Amino acid sequence: KPIRCIHVNQDLDMVVSCSEHIVLIHTLRHGRYVRMLEHPAGGSVDILLLACTGDIIMYSHGDGSLYHYSINGRLLHSLREHLYICQMCISPSGEFLFTAEGRVVNVRQLHSLEVVFRYVEFGERITALSLSYEGQFLIVAMESGVACLCSTNFERWKLL
């Protein structure tokens, strides 16, 4: 079956990939199989991330759910709120998860998946997200081709 999404973490020497509802974890250098995870409800996984801490985040458009697993395959948290996430990225520290949801970017605490900060609503649908190398800036791309550069200095802002 075709691979739907893949994420590499060179520091951990790990690759996570997904084909429909199955997530496979392999070593990067030698390609050795490590473990398999499955979507809890058997749905497809559409976005998959591997944090530097070994945390695995998976999102499914089918049920709008967000799942947080340990590298050992244990389900740590889940949000079953019928979210519509189009893009996600994780801060270099592994502390925050950035989710693009329609016209809004939410910043979530990675371990609890709770929203701790919400950027002001963008004027149009967000199509892509990326963090700068050191995580100081978030680049938000929109449907019209416009990209916005946003600060990630949360010390200056009041968290939710």
Side-chain angles (χ1 to χ4, degrees):
K1 301 195 180 200
I3 294 174
R4 297 176 58 94
C5 46
I6 191 166
H7 196 256
V8 174
N9 188 305
Q10 188 173 352
D11 294 335
L12 293 178
D13 188 39
M14 303 294 267
V15 177
V16 290
S17 62
C18 180
S19 178
E20 294 185 9
H21 66 283
I22 305 281
V23 174
L24 297 176
I25 304 170
H26 290 86
T27 62
L28 179 60
R29 278 191 221 122
H30 301 291
R32 278 190 290 238
Y33 170 82
V34 175
R35 163 170 302 105
M36 178 185 80
L37 306 173
E38 290 189 60
H39 183 288
S44 66
V45 176
D46 298 292
I47 305 174
L48 183 63
L49 297 175
L50 175 61
C52 63
T53 54
D55 296 286
I56 298 169
I57 302 295
M58 66 171 75
Y59 170 75
S60 172
H61 288 302
D63 63 1
S65 296
L66 190 60
Y67 300 97
H68 174 205
Y69 283 88
S70 71
I71 194 74
N72 296 323
R74 182 171 170 231
L75 179 61
L76 300 173
H77 291 93
S78 63
L79 276 182
R80 296 184 174 130
E81 298 179 357
H82 302 288
L83 304 168
Y84 182 75
I85 297 173
C86 62
Q87 293 288 322
M88 297 190 303
C89 56
I90 297 175
S91 65
S93 67
E95 186 179 358
F96 297 108
L97 172 69
F98 294 79
T99 57
E101 303 173 43
R103 296 174 179 211
V104 174
V105 174
N106 286 317
V107 182
R108 298 172 180 276
Q109 196 75 26
L110 184 70
H111 293 290
S112 66
L113 300 178
E114 290 181 34
V115 175
V116 294
F117 183 80
R118 181 172 290 123
Y119 284 89
V120 293
E121 186 172 321
F122 292 87
E124 53 192 292
R125 194 173 66 81
I126 298 165
T127 56
L129 281 183
S130 185
L131 279 166
S132 62
Y133 177 73
E134 293 177 350
Q136 295 175 332
F137 299 100
L138 175 70
I139 298 93
V140 180
M142 288 166 273
E143 207 166 34
S144 66
V146 171
C148 292
L149 183 67
C150 306
S151 172
T152 59
N153 184 358
F154 301 121
E155 292 174 9
R156 293 181 3 189
W157 303 334
K158 182 180 177 186
L159 299 180
L160 296 176

